[in-house]
Every structure is written in structure tokens, then in C-alpha cells.
Amino acid sequence: MKIPVVAANWKMYKTPRECMDFVEKLRKKTLDREKATVILFVPYTSLFDMGSSLGNDSSIGLGAQNVYWEQEGAFTGEVSTGMLLACGAQWVIVGHSERRTLFGESDEDVRRKATAALKDGLSVIFCLGESLDERERGETGVVIERQVSSFLSGLGRDDLRNVIFAYEPIWAIGTGLNATPAQVAESHGLIRDVVEASIEGMGEALTVLYGGSVNHGNCRGLSEVREVDGFLIGSASLDVDQFASIVETITEVKSK
Ligand code: PGA
């Protein structure tokens, strides 16, 4: 049985002090750490403090929301894999739709970031998903295939063991309008098929999260989708009570 993964993407929210407060409160919750993996994707500015605080606590994973593929150099404003690792991060998100749409990241940029991260020992959450226009034009499948195929080029079976996929339709992110369980099941199935066609035996083994307006109200229905292995959560992850209640719900559903 796969252990569900619940990841918080805090985006450009929370000061270092606020991040530390969240962790202190989360630690007091009686979550079953054996039955769910929790990962916090915090702003760069909080990574060092969080890494020092979580040092010995392997039950909460720590990640960054972005990375650059070069090791060092004249790249003003960028942060390397080595810098993230030195702060205690084990994870990094690549390909989030806000990076793609607001900051112009291409499939090729996403692939380069993932390749560098995996090579240097970070695990990766790879985000993908279609826009509303693409869905309405009936192109969801084509977009998913393109994004997954581009991501996989150059990666092997061993790399994929350190990758989690996150299906996040752009129209569902931050809108309050989550994808339906049926839409999620279909897209997750397609992601698995594309991976399986490229690397035999990996389709089913893959961990695939759903992201896009997940909250304590809709998480039970989404958890019941067999193809869903967990969530990547934005706004509902900012509140520790709501975040913990989502972790509890999916843990309960997936333990049945
Ligand atoms: P949301 O964000 O939960 O606020 O929709 C999800 C994400 O961007 O990862």
C-alpha cells in the first residue's frame, strides 16, 4: 500500500517566524506519521530556519518551491540545488503553473530543473495540468502527454523513484473550483499510461497528487479516488488546523 502524501505549497506567504509557528503547532497535532507523509514547501527565506528546526524530525519533509539548474555563478536572484540542500531541504517543486504562466518557464526549463535537482540528490514534485481554454478545446490529454513526455526525456527509472507527480489543472488553482473526482481519475490514469509507455512497470508505482482548491470540505471525496495518492495544497495549507484535518481525512480514507 502507498502512503498518502500531503504537501503544503505556501507560495509567497509567511515570514520565517510565521513558518516556525506553523511547525510548532503542527507538531502538537496527533497525526499518524507512519500513515501519511507531510511535506512543507516554504519560501526560500524560511528554509534555513525550518531546516535547522526540523533537523532530527524525519516525519515532516521540507522543500523549496523553485530552483535553478546551474551550480553557481552570475545568476542574480536564483538559488541552486546545493544551496537548498545546505539549508536542509530534501524536496523541490518544479513546473508549478504559476512559474510557467507568470514567469515564462517552458517544458524545457522544467526538465532542466528536475534533472539538476535529481542529479544532486533532491526529490522532486513535478506539476502539470491544462488551462481552462485547453480543457474546453478538448486538449487536456494532449497537454498532459506533452508535459509528461518532455519531463521524462533524459530521466530514467531510478530518477523516477524520487519524483512525485502533481496534477494541477490551472483553472482549479486558487479558484475555489476543484476538478471533479471523475476528471481527476481520468487525468491521473492518463499520466500513469504515459509514464508506463515510456518506462515499463512505473505507471502504477508512481505517486500522483491532485492539486487545485483542495480544502477540508472536498478532500474526502477526492481522497476516495483510487488514482489519487495525496494532495498538493495552496491556500488551505496556510491554516494549520485545516491542513492537519486534510491530512487526517486522507490518512483515514487510504487506511481502509
Ligand atoms: P490552491 O493551490 O490549493 O490554493 O488551489 C494549489 C497549488 O497551487 O499548488
Side-chain angles (χ1 to χ4, degrees), residues 72-89:
E72 58 181 10
F75 303 106
T76 301
E78 295 296 331
V79 170
S80 71
T81 56
M83 292 171 181
L84 299 184
L85 287 160
C87 288

Side-chain angles (χ1 to χ4, degrees), residues 9 11 96 98 168 172-176 211-214 232-236:
N9 174 13
K11 310 191 181 187
H96 191 280
E98 284 150 20
E168 298 206 307
I173 296 179
T175 59
S213 297
V214 175
L232 179 55
I233 310 169
S235 56

Side-chain angles (χ1 to χ4, degrees), residues 60-237:
I60 300 176
L62 180 65
Q65 301 164 17
N66 188 22
V67 70
Y68 193 53
W69 55 75
E70 296 288 349
Q71 276 304 315
E72 58 181 10
F75 303 106
T76 301
E78 295 296 331
V79 170
S80 71
T81 56
M83 292 171 181
L84 299 184
L85 287 160
C87 288
Q90 308 100 25
W91 290 88
V92 66
I93 292 175
V94 300
H96 191 280
S97 70
E98 284 150 20
R99 299 295 323 165
R100 294 178 190 260
T101 58
L102 302 175
F103 300 98
E105 284 188 14
S106 64
D107 287 339
E108 174 59 12
D109 293 335
V110 174
R111 193 192 60 74
R112 290 178 80 173
K113 289 181 177 201
T115 306
L118 291 164
K119 181 174 141 288
D120 294 340
L122 285 163
S123 296
V124 163
I125 291 197
F126 163 57
C127 299
L128 72 152
E130 80 288 358
S131 67
L132 187 56
D133 268 5
E134 288 162 341
R135 177 161 281 271
E136 286 177 348
R137 286 200 303 265
E139 292 170 4
T140 301
V142 179
V143 171
I144 290 177
E145 255 188 88
R146 190 201 71 222
Q147 290 178 335
V148 174
S149 302
S150 159
F151 178 76
L152 290 177
S153 57
L155 295 186
R157 187 179 298 274
D158 286 344
D159 294 316
L160 275 200
R161 295 190 215 287
N162 296 316
V163 176
I164 288 178
F165 283 57
Y167 171 60
E168 298 206 307
I170 298 172
W171 48 271
I173 296 179
T175 59
L177 181 74
N178 61 284
T180 65
Q183 288 169 328
V184 175
E186 187 182 13
S187 295
H188 284 211
L190 180 57
I191 290 169
R192 292 188 198 285
D193 289 348
V194 179
V195 171
E196 180 67 27
S198 169
I199 304 179
E200 210 187 316
M202 284 310 281
E204 269 306 305
L206 216 60
T207 295
V208 187
L209 313 183
Y210 167 73
S213 297
V214 175
N215 59 39
H216 66 286
N218 59 26
C219 67
R220 182 168 294 274
L222 290 163
S223 299
E224 281 162 356
V225 178
R226 193 187 65 85
E227 291 82 355
V228 169
D229 300 316
F231 300 123
L232 179 55
I233 310 169
S235 56
S237 75

